[in-house]
Amino acid sequence: MIQKINNSGGPKYLVMFLVIIIIFVAGFYVGKIDLFGKAESKISDYEIIGEKLTERNNVDVGLLWEVWSELENEYIDTENIDGQNLLYGAVDGLVKGLDDQYTNFLTPEEKQEYLSGNKREFEGIGTTLAQDGDFVVIESPIDGSPAQKAGLKPKDVILEVNEEDMQGKSVVEVAKNIRGEANSTVKITYYRPGNNETKDIEIVRQRIDLKNIEVIDLENGIKMLKVYQFTEADVETFNEEWDSNINEIIKDNPKGLIVDLRNNPGGFVDAVRYSVGEFLPRGALVFQEEDKSGRRNQYKVNREGRLTEIPMIVIVNEGSASSSEIFAGAMQDNNRAKIVGTKTVGKGVEQKLINLSDGSMLQIVFQKWLTPSGRNINKDEPITPDHKVEESDEQDKKAIELLNSK
């Protein structure tokens, strides 16, 4: 999932990572509404002002006002009705009506929680989360994180956090329950669909300082380039870090390279485009964007790469998402490298972040991205490896075997 934001005064694209926000409950809202009230609101403390539409695209919006009126007149605890909560519930219900897990409404508080979840440094267990119906699931446990060390895997369903039921809660709510100070303990009850297992685990939270890139020496002159995420303070900083690691690889003149994208949750799309450009010739197609009218924009390599000839293998798994899928898809469709591992997450949509007038935020899916050959990566059709290998150690062995055979 790619997200369009403003960064350093200009538009940038960011592939979603760390936290995927948010689907709640409630009704329906169309029109311009302002609410005024006290922190502990009573029915007499607020009034609805502004334009109240009764019809929108042949839908009778008057039902909203009918329900709102009945709540005010008949609800047993009328004295404690909070108009702002009613409004946010209605707005969120409108967005939820799309049934799209990547198009969401965030209240001002949830917006701040979301933004804090995208920081490079935080305290917690180190995993991205995703909404899946009434439950939140593990998406990408970060390599080396407490979550991964405790055995959590992609698609594990979070049932309880500290014995509190998580059914019906959003990603933000579950994340708030899981997150905490370093060295504190959180108890998670999860269900693993693959083996029909329910299990309790206790995880000691840690301060997570996310790595981006690491170069590892393997056997027989083979290097592994481990990319944890395609992000940093900004794209330029990531690119500088990328160049530094590539310089280290070039200096040693390896005979083969493994690019490890396992559990890579994403990052800046401009960063992955720059990274892909290291291995493909100038002008090669990296990925495409398609809007709701079917118009496509193509993104091609726009620089001279230094590793266009080195034999290489890419490893992915069920925790590889977004920009890591763009990378793997570009390598696969350009016949540049074989892919080893398991099927990926399947995120091929782009979002806009729209700041609303009261400090809340709207995430809207407005485009999808396609591989060079035109594949839209999604849950049903993610990146499928050329060589399917389940276990991590076996994936490493298969990648080395393929490189040695060259």
Side-chain angles (χ1 to χ4, degrees):
M1 173 172 31
I2 301 171
Q3 184 171 344
K4 185 176 182 181
I5 63 172
N6 285 331
N7 185 23
S8 301
K12 296 287 183 183
Y13 290 90
L14 176 64
V15 183
M16 279 288 288
F17 69 100
L18 299 184
V19 181
I20 304 168
I21 315 289
I22 179 179
I23 299 176
F24 291 125
V25 294
F28 199 86
Y29 161 77
V30 174
K32 177 182 177 184
I33 301 179
D34 294 313
L35 292 165
F36 299 91
K38 300 176 181 178
E40 297 182 1
S41 177
K42 295 182 179 180
I43 191 67
S44 59
D45 290 332
Y46 75 90
E47 61 178 330
I48 301 173
I49 64 174
E51 181 183 7
K52 292 183 282 188
L53 302 180
T54 57
E55 184 177 308
R56 179 76 171 187
N57 294 333
N58 298 318
V59 174
D60 182 7
V61 186
L63 177 63
L64 169 64
W65 313 118
E66 181 181 353
V67 172
W68 197 310
S69 177
E70 293 297 337
L71 290 175
E72 292 179 342
N73 293 332
E74 303 295 340
Y75 181 62
I76 189 171
D77 198 12
T78 304
E79 290 294 305
N80 291 318
I81 287 180
D82 187 320
Q84 192 68 59
N85 286 342
L86 290 180
L87 173 61
Y88 284 152
V91 174
D92 188 75
L94 174 63
V95 176
K96 187 181 178 184
L98 296 172
D99 194 24
D100 183 333
Q101 69 178 115
Y102 299 133
T103 297
N104 305 297
F105 170 73
L106 283 68
T107 68
E109 180 183 3
E110 292 155 0
K111 171 185 170 182
Q112 293 306 313
E113 185 72 20
Y114 161 73
L115 294 175
S116 69
N118 277 340
K119 292 179 180 177
R120 188 178 179 212
E121 297 179 1
F122 60 93
E123 294 181 345
I125 67 170
T127 184
T128 61
L129 305 174
Q131 197 82 40
D132 189 1
D134 283 343
F135 290 94
V136 169
V137 300
I138 300 294
E139 185 178 61
S140 297
I142 299 167
D143 276 3
S145 67
Q148 187 191 54
K149 292 176 181 178
L152 287 176
K153 295 184 178 181
K155 300 181 182 178
D156 284 347
V157 181
I158 299 175
L159 302 178
E160 296 180 359
V161 177
N162 290 328
E163 300 185 351
E164 181 180 345
D165 187 6
M166 293 292 111
Q167 183 174 6
K169 294 188 181 297
S170 68
V171 169
V172 166
E173 292 173 299
V174 174
K176 285 180 68 175
N177 278 273
I178 292 176
R179 193 174 298 157
E181 294 183 358
N183 300 317
S184 63
T185 300
V186 59
K187 180 181 178 182
I188 295 177
T189 303
Y190 69 88
Y191 168 73
R192 182 163 293 166
N195 57 14
N196 199 30
E197 176 187 50
T198 299
K199 190 174 181 180
D200 293 330
I201 56 172
E202 290 191 350
I203 304 177
V204 178
R205 302 177 179 103
Q206 294 179 5
R207 180 175 179 82
I208 309 294
D209 186 0
L210 295 176
K211 294 181 180 179
N212 290 319
I213 308 169
E214 183 179 9
V215 177
I216 303 169
D217 288 320
L218 301 178
E219 62 185 56
N220 298 330
I222 295 173
K223 295 275 190 178
M224 175 178 282
L225 181 66
K226 173 66 180 174
V227 186
Y228 294 90
Q229 56 179 1
F230 289 96
T231 190
E232 238 294 351
D234 50 49
V235 174
E236 292 73 19
T237 304
F238 176 89
N239 292 351
E240 290 173 4
E241 184 177 353
W242 174 269
D243 287 340
S244 175
N245 283 275
I246 296 302
N247 288 339
E248 179 183 340
I249 291 172
I250 292 174
K251 180 185 65 176
D252 291 339
N253 191 28
K255 74 173 189 179
L257 180 68
I258 299 171
V259 178
D260 184 357
L261 302 178
R262 286 171 288 193
N263 295 323
N264 181 320
F268 293 111
V269 73
D270 284 344
V272 73
R273 183 185 181 191
Y274 185 82
S275 303
V276 168
E278 204 71 75
F279 307 103
L280 294 177
R282 180 184 287 272
L285 188 56
V286 179
F287 74 105
Q288 307 175 72
E289 293 175 338
E290 183 176 288
D291 65 16
K292 64 182 181 181
S293 300
R295 291 182 297 238
R296 292 188 182 183
N297 288 322
Q298 296 186 338
Y299 291 84
K300 299 181 179 181
V301 174
N302 57 1
R303 69 188 187 96
E304 300 297 332
R306 294 170 290 170
L307 294 174
T308 57
E309 301 297 329
I310 189 171
M312 64 182 292
I313 299 294
V314 177
I315 306 180
V316 298
N317 67 358
E318 65 274 19
S320 304
S322 302
S323 52
S324 57
E325 294 174 293
I326 289 177
F327 188 104
M331 296 298 109
Q332 198 171 48
D333 284 8
N334 282 285
N335 296 314
R336 177 62 180 89
K338 294 298 183 182
I339 312 299
V340 171
T342 60
K343 290 183 178 181
T344 57
V345 170
K347 279 190 199 173
V349 295
E350 302 184 23
Q351 292 176 300
K352 285 181 180 178
L353 285 185
I354 299 177
N355 289 309
L356 302 176
S357 58
D358 69 336
S360 57
M361 178 183 283
L362 197 60
Q363 297 175 317
I364 297 180
V365 170
F366 75 111
Q367 290 186 137
K368 59 185 178 182
W369 65 263
L370 315 172
T371 68
S373 66
R375 295 180 291 158
N376 176 231
I377 301 304
N378 54 58
K379 279 187 174 182
D380 296 326
E381 297 180 349
I383 296 292
T384 300
D386 302 294
H387 300 273
K388 183 180 178 181
V389 183
E390 294 287 344
E391 297 300 324
S392 180
D393 289 346
E394 295 302 315
Q395 291 166 356
D396 292 343
K397 291 179 183 178
K398 184 63 177 180
I400 292 172
E401 173 192 323
L402 290 169
L403 285 177
N404 283 330
S405 69
K406 295 183 178 183

